[in-house]
Amino acid sequence: MLKELEAIDTSPIEQLQTLKAEQLTLKERLDRMGAMKDKVSPEVYARVRKDYEGRLAALEAQARPLLDQARKEYARLKAVIAELERKLQAARLAKEEVEFRNALGEYSQSQFAELLAQAEGEVAEFQGHLAEAAALRQKFVEAVLEEKELEAAFPFPPAPAPREELPPPPPPATVDATEATALQPMPGEETGATIALAMPRLVVQTPEGVSQEFQLKAQVTTIGRSPRNDICIAEASVSRQHAEIYLSARGYTIRDLGSNNGVFVNGHKVVEQLLASGDTIELGAPGWKLTFLAPD
């Protein structure tokens, strides 16, 4: 199983499964009580109903911390599923591109056989991981009465605290003109505003002149022929894990990951190179050009 799936803690849902069985039993008995109300005295009916409702409330209280844990693990699981779906789609597109390029006569028979086998292997692998993830998701759903319990942020909201009457605010202090000027924000400054940092980009241009822009990650962005990479280039001369761009103490740096055809920055072969805005990167793939753009 994929290590991200193995890291999902399923212990909360195993305990919730036991509680769910008891909850369903009590709910079913409470439902049946309505049809039997006229067959017993009001005192007995009220006493038994209160008992069942109290036991059900106790089970719900016992389930709350488990639900909190299960909800966190379920959110992690959904994120893994979303990422697997993205990678499966990328693998399918990579396979389609290999077949299309071969139809255009780009590959020899042996090249096509190798690339197709790799692409089909990637598709099958991600399909298998998704099947495992779907089975694990079903276990989470079966452990609760309704799936929305896993989605809701607070399925059992606490009672609102009593509202306190606050004293009226004091009148604003008088500020003279000199102080008022000093308190004004600097030009271009927004008090309390959140500052969003722009990330560098990598523009990938195909031999046909088609360009696609990728935003680099804050830590490491991988490049290669495999759909597992953040930037996939389905070209035979590109290695499966060809290079990576990572944030170093000096800035964004490209590193060759032991590729077959090397990494070139502005026409010079490099093993590791600090990038500057406008630098052109080539990966040994004829006609493919990558341009690093730092934020303005």
Side-chain angles (χ1 to χ4, degrees), residues 236-255:
S237 57
V238 175
S239 297
R240 288 167 62 83
Q241 285 80 39
H242 198 108
E244 65 181 13
I245 297 177
Y246 67 96
L247 181 59
S248 66
R250 297 181 299 160
Y252 277 85
T253 302
I254 190 166
R255 175 192 291 149

Side-chain angles (χ1 to χ4, degrees), residues 19-35 45 48-49 51-57 59-60 63 144-146 148-149 156:
L19 293 177
K20 177 184 175 181
E22 297 179 40
Q23 287 175 304
L24 289 175
T25 298
L26 289 172
K27 285 179 178 289
E28 187 268 338
R29 290 175 181 172
L30 283 167
D31 290 340
R32 287 170 55 197
M33 287 182 69
Y45 180 85
V48 175
R49 185 172 190 87
D51 175 47
Y52 284 171
E53 288 175 343
R55 287 158 64 181
L56 187 59
L59 288 174
E60 290 174 348
V144 293
L145 298 175
E146 298 179 85
K148 67 181 182 180
E149 294 180 74
F156 301 105

Side-chain angles (χ1 to χ4, degrees), residues 1-184:
M1 183 182 285
L2 194 67
K3 63 179 181 180
E4 288 83 358
L5 293 178
E6 291 179 337
I8 303 295
D9 182 10
T10 59
S11 60
I13 63 173
E14 293 166 1
Q15 298 177 64
L16 284 171
Q17 190 77 46
T18 302
L19 293 177
K20 177 184 175 181
E22 297 179 40
Q23 287 175 304
L24 289 175
T25 298
L26 289 172
K27 285 179 178 289
E28 187 268 338
R29 290 175 181 172
L30 283 167
D31 290 340
R32 287 170 55 197
M33 287 182 69
M36 303 171 66
K37 185 174 183 179
D38 296 335
K39 297 180 181 180
V40 296
S41 62
E43 293 84 0
V44 170
Y45 180 85
R47 186 161 59 243
V48 175
R49 185 172 190 87
K50 182 179 180 181
D51 175 47
Y52 284 171
E53 288 175 343
R55 287 158 64 181
L56 187 59
L59 288 174
E60 290 174 348
Q62 191 177 348
R64 288 174 193 171
L66 296 171
L67 272 170
D68 287 338
Q69 297 175 44
R71 209 172 295 117
K72 294 175 184 177
E73 297 303 315
Y74 188 69
R76 290 177 59 196
L77 175 59
K78 289 185 67 177
V80 172
I81 290 174
E83 181 64 12
L84 286 172
E85 289 173 341
R86 183 191 71 80
K87 290 185 175 181
L88 176 59
Q89 178 62 10
R92 285 170 171 164
L93 291 175
K95 176 178 176 290
E96 181 182 343
E97 184 171 342
V98 166
E99 293 170 333
F100 184 49
R101 289 179 180 275
N102 181 67
L104 295 173
E106 183 172 330
Y107 304 132
S108 67
Q109 187 173 357
S110 60
Q111 284 179 322
F112 175 62
E114 178 186 356
L115 290 173
L116 183 62
Q118 291 174 354
E120 289 177 338
E122 297 276 2
V123 169
E125 182 179 354
F126 291 128
Q127 285 176 331
H129 291 324
L130 270 172
E132 293 173 351
L136 186 55
R137 180 176 183 173
Q138 186 60 29
K139 289 183 179 180
F140 273 86
V141 174
E142 290 174 351
V144 293
L145 298 175
E146 298 179 85
E147 186 176 2
K148 67 181 182 180
E149 294 180 74
L150 295 169
E151 302 282 358
F154 299 100
F156 301 105
R163 189 170 180 177
E164 297 182 4
E165 293 295 331
L166 299 177
T174 304
V175 181
D176 62 31
T178 304
E179 290 175 334
T181 302
L183 293 173
Q184 293 298 317

